[in-house]
Structure formats: structure tokens, C-alpha cells
Amino acid sequence: MTTSPTTAAATHPTPPTPAARPASHKATTGRTRTAAAGRTRSATAKRTRRPHTPLHPRPSIPLTLVTGLVLLYTLLPLGWLVINATKDQKGLLDSFGLWFAEDTHFWDNISRTLAYDDGVFVRWLLNTLLYVTAGAGGATILAVLGGYALAKYDFPGRKAVFAVVLGAVAVPG
């Protein structure tokens, strides 16, 4: 049996539009309708504050200041290093340590460093990159393989191995 559109409309009426509501609707419900958002909100309700949870902590001004001081303490030597890399020997002693000298010698200092002792600095840099890449890459591959084995396979001594791994991570070297 099929129903015609007029029969379906008669059994399921559409809700009235805001213009079709009686004027007393606002007075009885205490709500107003915002035209742009289409949401209702109590006219007398105050904005409630979100409770402080671990995901939404209360802002702490002293903690923010301490964090800023630690950031400054951490970045100041790096800035000092970059600024003093632009000075020559005389400029290191004659100028303020945390500001640039009148004339810059940055590229001259870089070229002298790279040419020192037939380029031994470049060899040191490449050795460091090799050791870091091989060491970190090898440790990462072994950690992934071990973690996969502990997660997917059930073998005798699995809990003991997991306890040793956790102990090795938890106790500093």
C-alpha cells in the first residue's frame, strides 16, 4: 500500500516555524531564539566556567614565569654562541658579549674552522653523524622488534623480560 504525499504530511506534521509560534511561547519557556545560530539559550543563564581537569588545567602565573626563566636560561648560551661566532679575536674582548660587533666575521670564521688542520673538523662532524645515525637507528630497530615480540607473542618468560625492560627504563644509568 502506498501513501500519497498529502497523507504522509497529515500523519507527520512539520514543526512550526519561529514566526508561526505564539507570542506567549517566549514568556512561557523563558528562552530566546538566536536567528544566526538557530540555537536556544536561556536569557537569564550566566556563562558557566569549565571545571578544571587534567586536560583543562587552571592557568598558573608563577609556573608560567618559572618556565619562561628556564627557557631563557636554556636559550641564552645558544644565543651567545651564535652572536660570538660573528666576531673576530679582538671583537670578542672589545664588544659586549650578548651583542654583535661592528664588523661581522661569520663566514671567515666558518671557513677557517672547516679548513683547520686539513679539514679535520669535517671528519669529526661526519663521524659524529655516522655514530648517531647508526646508534639511534639500530636502537630504534631493536626496540621495535622487541616491542613487537612482547606484544604479539606469548612465550615462556615473557613477563620476566617485560619486567627487566621496564626496570631498565625506570632506573637511570
Side-chain angles (χ1 to χ4, degrees):
M1 177 171 147
T2 61
T3 58
S4 68
T6 56
T7 310
T11 58
H12 295 52
T14 59
T17 61
R21 289 189 183 144
S24 65
H25 175 74
K26 181 178 169 186
T28 58
T29 62
R31 295 183 176 217
T32 58
R33 176 171 285 277
T34 57
R39 299 178 187 160
T40 58
R41 184 176 174 193
S42 174
T44 58
K46 291 184 179 179
R47 188 173 186 182
T48 59
R49 292 186 179 186
R50 184 177 0 179
H52 298 294
T53 64
L55 294 177
H56 303 287
R58 178 180 308 147
S60 171
I61 294 174
L63 183 61
T64 304
L65 291 175
V66 168
T67 305
L69 286 173
V70 169
L71 179 71
L72 183 66
Y73 179 77
T74 306
L75 293 180
L76 191 63
L78 184 63
W80 177 81
L81 184 69
V82 170
I83 289 170
N84 285 325
T86 64
K87 300 176 183 179
D88 61 350
Q89 290 278 342
K90 186 175 181 275
L92 284 172
L93 301 174
D94 292 344
S95 65
F96 178 61
L98 293 175
W99 196 247
F100 298 96
E102 293 176 8
D103 54 340
T104 182
H105 296 280
F106 182 73
W107 295 112
D108 182 46
N109 290 340
I110 295 293
S111 64
R112 286 178 53 201
T113 301
L114 295 178
Y116 174 75
D117 201 11
D118 293 329
V120 73
F121 184 80
V122 176
R123 179 178 282 300
W124 294 339
L125 182 64
L126 293 176
N127 284 344
T128 302
L129 290 176
L130 175 68
Y131 291 142
V132 166
T133 304
T140 302
I141 289 171
L142 287 176
V144 167
L145 293 174
Y148 183 80
L150 283 173
K152 293 294 183 180
Y153 298 115
D154 191 20
F155 54 90
R158 177 176 172 254
K159 289 185 179 181
V161 170
F162 187 67
V164 168
V165 170
L166 280 181
V169 170
V171 177

